[in-house]
Amino acid sequence: MRNLITCLLCSFIISGCGFSLRGNYELPDSISQLRLASAETHSALERALRNELKPYNVDIIESGVAGDSNLLNVYLLSDTLDRRLLSLFTTGQVAEYELIYTVRYELQFSQRDAQLVEFDIKREYQDDPDAVLAKSRELELVLSEMRKQAANQIIHQISIAQRSSANTAIPKI
């Protein structure tokens, strides 16, 4: 009985302070639809964002379809992957890179100015010239993970921006 009371007390304290699990972003009820457009048709980031929005039951309206002017508009402007050299083998071949995935997008809420947002996601990547095929597959998986993280970050920033007042800028995370 004592353990049960202690457990309940701890859960009330944690929930009372606003704690939520990582990746558990609650989108406001006012975002039931959004218009999603991308500079690059059917880009990998756009597909990742669509997949990450599925659990939130958000209807995604294509950019060319006429609809409510009060919709949230998300414009994916660009996503680029850059590499920065971190270390070399004694033979002079590259041993380690830092992958830098940069995402630029624009949020347009109704009755508000468009907000341009840019952020980077960084990962270290170890290269092995003896396992080129395996490393190319690993690079694809890392890039896919980075896109998924970028999509989650966009959703999180939408959630924060929706709750902020009309005159404040979107906070950077």
Side-chain angles (χ1 to χ4, degrees):
M1 186 68 170
R2 185 178 210 172
N3 288 338
L4 179 64
I5 292 172
T6 304
C7 189
L8 285 174
L9 182 62
C10 287
S11 65
F12 287 135
I13 290 171
I14 289 174
S15 65
C17 74
F19 174 80
S20 63
L21 294 174
R22 182 180 177 159
N24 185 16
Y25 314 120
E26 292 183 18
L27 287 177
D29 293 335
S30 61
I31 303 179
S32 61
Q33 293 182 330
L34 66 82
R35 182 172 287 124
L36 179 61
S38 176
E40 188 179 316
T41 308
H42 303 296
S43 70
L45 179 58
E46 181 181 355
R47 286 191 307 271
L49 184 55
R50 286 176 186 272
N51 285 337
E52 294 302 311
L53 282 169
K54 282 181 184 176
Y56 299 102
N57 296 322
V58 174
D59 294 329
I60 299 173
I61 298 173
E62 299 301 320
S63 60
V65 178
D68 188 5
S69 63
N70 292 328
L71 286 177
L72 163 64
N73 293 300
V74 180
Y75 301 104
L76 302 175
L77 300 173
S78 66
D79 61 320
T80 57
L81 180 67
D82 293 320
R83 295 191 295 185
R84 188 172 65 104
L85 180 67
L86 290 180
S87 64
L88 297 171
F89 289 118
T90 56
T91 60
Q93 292 178 314
V94 176
E96 192 174 21
Y97 288 109
E98 179 181 44
L99 301 174
I100 306 165
Y101 186 61
T102 304
V103 176
R104 292 181 65 233
Y105 68 97
E106 189 175 83
L107 287 180
Q108 173 71 51
F109 288 95
S110 63
Q111 311 301 323
R112 289 168 62 177
D113 292 334
Q115 299 287 331
L116 180 65
V117 182
E118 181 175 335
F119 61 88
D120 295 330
I121 296 174
K122 297 178 182 179
R123 295 279 189 283
E124 290 184 11
Y125 173 74
Q126 294 180 350
D127 201 9
D128 183 3
D130 296 330
V132 175
L133 202 58
K135 282 300 187 174
S136 66
R137 177 66 181 139
E138 181 184 344
L139 181 60
E140 288 174 21
L141 290 172
V142 168
L143 184 54
S144 175
E145 267 182 30
M146 292 171 84
R147 284 189 185 112
K148 184 176 178 179
Q149 183 180 354
N152 281 321
Q153 191 161 342
I154 290 170
I155 292 169
H156 184 62
Q157 288 176 337
I158 289 171
S159 176
I160 290 172
Q162 178 64 22
R163 290 184 178 97
S164 68
S165 67
N167 295 329
T168 59
I170 296 170
K172 290 199 174 194
I173 298 175

